[in-house]
Amino acid sequence: MIRAYQCRGSSPRVDRTTRRDRVPQRVDHEQRRRQIGEALLRIAATRGLLAASMREVAAEAGVSLRLVQYYFHTKDELLLGSLPYLAERLGARIEARIRALGSPPAPRDVVVAALEAVLPTDQESRQIRTTYDAFYALVLADPSLAAKYEAKDPDALERFLTGQLAAAQAAGELAADHDPGHVAAGLLALTNGLGASVIGGQRSSEVATEVLDYHLDRLFRPR
């Protein structure tokens, strides 16, 4: 659309703005929420969740405080709405480790790769672990947060490991008298405990990996 405006004592001015130009661009609301949520996760991983005020998150995300408040009305909403992105990050890390094994990977190798991906051995895994720890610390101070948080599938990793252990058992790599579900739960507890000891400075990530491998080698039968 072209419009001409006649100003007194001047020649006509042409407005070449088209109708299309005037239509606001569509906003990807999920992308906005993710941008804000991941900003909170970055702050939580380095300075803790108590430092993640709405204003600080807005600055980290490069958006206005009003925009943060539009998507998350309270800090609790912001915190709980950001945790699924953290779970996605951990899931992507595990999947990448498994893909690197080649195709088709043996069930035993899948179990080892998944558990080692959870251990805080590099910057990415340390950030994931410390952010989860920051959330758990906040829950201890305010148990109502745990009641508000509804994880999409909190047992997904344990269930996945159970399936891989059952497959290893069928292949003769795991003793028949082991219960795959109980073994999976125990391995996750061991891995989480080792991760806490790494973050707490009790042992290095290398030693934690050695301890995990020690138990895995004794769980699975030699090839």
Side-chain angles (χ1 to χ4, degrees):
M1 179 186 300
I2 299 178
R3 293 179 179 175
Y5 296 91
Q6 179 68 50
C7 298
R8 184 176 298 178
S10 65
S11 58
R13 187 177 65 190
V14 177
D15 176 12
R16 298 185 181 276
T17 303
T18 65
R19 187 182 301 275
R20 181 179 178 182
D21 291 332
R22 294 194 182 93
V23 177
Q25 293 183 348
R26 290 186 177 181
V27 176
D28 187 334
H29 293 291
E30 173 54 29
Q31 182 58 37
R32 282 292 194 190
R33 289 177 64 88
R34 181 180 295 275
Q35 178 184 357
I36 295 168
E38 291 186 346
L40 177 138
L41 296 179
R42 289 194 297 273
I43 294 174
T46 55
R47 288 179 280 160
L49 286 172
L50 292 178
S53 67
M54 302 283 270
R55 191 175 300 278
E56 287 287 337
V57 171
E60 177 69 23
V63 300
S64 68
L65 175 60
R66 180 174 296 181
L67 188 65
V68 173
Q69 293 171 331
Y70 173 80
Y71 287 104
F72 303 97
H73 300 128
T74 66
K75 184 176 176 179
D76 284 357
E77 282 188 19
L78 175 57
L79 169 62
L80 300 178
S82 301
L83 285 175
Y85 303 129
L86 186 63
E88 283 183 15
R89 193 180 301 175
L90 177 59
R93 177 180 173 84
I94 293 172
E95 289 177 6
R97 291 292 186 94
I98 294 173
R99 284 197 303 270
L101 296 174
S103 181
R108 171 180 176 169
D109 294 333
V110 171
V111 171
V112 173
L115 292 174
E116 290 186 348
V118 173
L119 277 179
T121 56
D122 56 20
Q123 182 178 2
E124 179 189 40
S125 54
R126 281 178 177 272
Q127 286 184 344
I128 292 172
R129 175 64 198 231
T130 54
T131 306
Y132 271 123
D133 286 349
F135 172 68
Y136 297 145
L138 207 60
V139 166
L140 289 176
D142 183 5
S144 66
L145 280 175
K148 295 176 184 176
Y149 178 55
E150 296 181 1
K152 184 177 180 181
D153 193 355
D155 299 323
L157 181 54
E158 185 173 324
R159 191 169 58 252
F160 172 75
L161 291 174
T162 298
Q164 293 298 316
L165 289 165
Q169 198 171 53
E173 293 186 333
L174 187 67
D177 60 347
H178 285 313
D179 181 283
H182 290 165
V183 173
L187 288 174
L188 279 176
L190 170 64
T191 304
N192 286 328
L194 289 170
S197 70
V198 172
I199 297 300
Q202 181 182 359
R203 57 176 53 87
S204 68
S205 58
E206 292 79 11
V207 172
T209 302
E210 289 176 5
V211 173
L212 177 61
D213 290 343
Y214 173 89
H215 288 280
L216 290 171
D217 286 343
R218 278 149 185 77
L219 174 66
F220 291 105
R221 289 174 174 170
R223 291 174 174 171

